[in-house]
Amino acid sequence: MTTQERPRPAIDAAERQMLEGWLDYHRETLAMKCAGLTDAQLREASVPPSEFTLLGLVRHLAENERGWFREVLAGEDLPPIYGTDEDPDGEFHLTDADTWDEARTTWLAEIEAARANAAKVGLDGLSVGVGKQGKPFSLRWIYTHMIEEYARHNGHADLVRERIDGATGE
C-alpha cells in the first residue's frame, strides 16, 4: 500500500472547515486502503464466510453519501444504488460484473453531490428529508455521523488490507 499524505484540518480551523476536513481525510483514507489492489484483491472477503470486502465497503459508503447528503439533507427521492427491497445490503453482494472502476466512479460522484448539497446549508440548517426517527437532522449532525461512519469502516479496511497483502498503516 502506498502511503500518501492526507491533509489534516488545521488545529485552529473553524468548525465547518474542521468537520469538512476530517470527513475528507477519512474519505481519502479509504481510497488509500484500496490503492494498488487488483479487482480480485478488492473482492477478497475479510474472513470467509463473511462477504465483507473493500469493494463492497466502497459501495456501502457510496450508499451512505447518497443517503445522508442527497436523500436526507436535500430531500431527493432516489433509489438505492446497489440495494433492493429484496436485498437491502446489495452493496456487499458482489457479482462478476461489479468492478472497482464502477464502484470508485460512483463513490466519487456521490461525494461530489454531497459536497454540493452541503455547501447550500449552514451547520445548524436542518435537512429537507427525515431519517428513520421522522425528524430532520442538522448538517452538523450529518457531518459528525459521516466522520464516525468512515472512521469505523476505515478500521475494518485496515484489517482487510492487512489480510490481503500484509500492508498496514494509518
Side-chain angles (χ1 to χ4, degrees):
M1 179 172 65
T2 57
T3 303
Q4 56 195 41
E5 276 303 309
R6 291 153 294 158
R8 293 178 185 253
I11 60 174
D12 59 352
E15 182 181 15
R16 184 173 187 125
Q17 288 75 31
M18 183 82 62
L19 291 169
E20 290 173 348
W22 279 111
L23 181 52
D24 283 341
Y25 177 86
H26 284 292
R27 288 167 170 157
E28 186 59 35
T29 299
L30 181 59
M32 281 178 45
K33 296 298 172 186
C34 297
L37 295 176
T38 65
D39 269 28
Q41 289 173 312
L42 290 163
R43 295 166 163 281
E44 284 188 35
S46 56
V47 181
S50 170
E51 294 180 281
F52 190 88
T53 65
L54 289 172
L55 183 59
L57 181 56
V58 168
R59 289 163 44 115
H60 174 69
L61 287 162
E63 291 277 20
N64 272 265
E65 295 278 357
R66 174 179 280 214
W68 284 106
F69 289 104
R70 296 182 70 187
E71 294 176 51
V72 174
L73 183 63
E76 295 179 42
D77 184 19
L78 300 168
I81 304 166
Y82 303 106
T84 63
D85 288 340
E86 298 78 30
D87 187 8
D89 295 323
E91 66 265 32
F92 291 111
H93 304 142
L94 304 176
T95 69
D96 290 341
D98 298 318
T99 67
W100 168 245
D101 286 340
E102 181 281 324
R104 182 178 181 278
T105 299
T106 299
W107 176 53
L108 293 176
E110 291 300 330
I111 289 170
E112 287 310 308
R115 288 181 178 136
N117 285 343
K120 301 172 191 170
V121 180
L123 288 177
D124 292 322
L126 295 178
S127 63
V128 175
V130 296
K132 293 176 183 164
Q133 299 86 350
K135 297 180 181 179
F137 293 84
S138 71
L139 177 59
R140 178 182 287 106
W141 191 96
I142 292 170
Y143 274 147
T144 303
H145 173 69
M146 288 299 292
I147 292 166
E148 176 272 331
E149 183 80 7
Y150 271 94
R152 179 168 42 93
H153 285 312
N154 281 336
H156 300 140
D158 276 339
L159 296 173
V160 175
R161 180 66 191 250
E162 184 175 7
R163 185 190 167 284
I164 291 169
D165 67 358
T168 60
E170 189 177 323

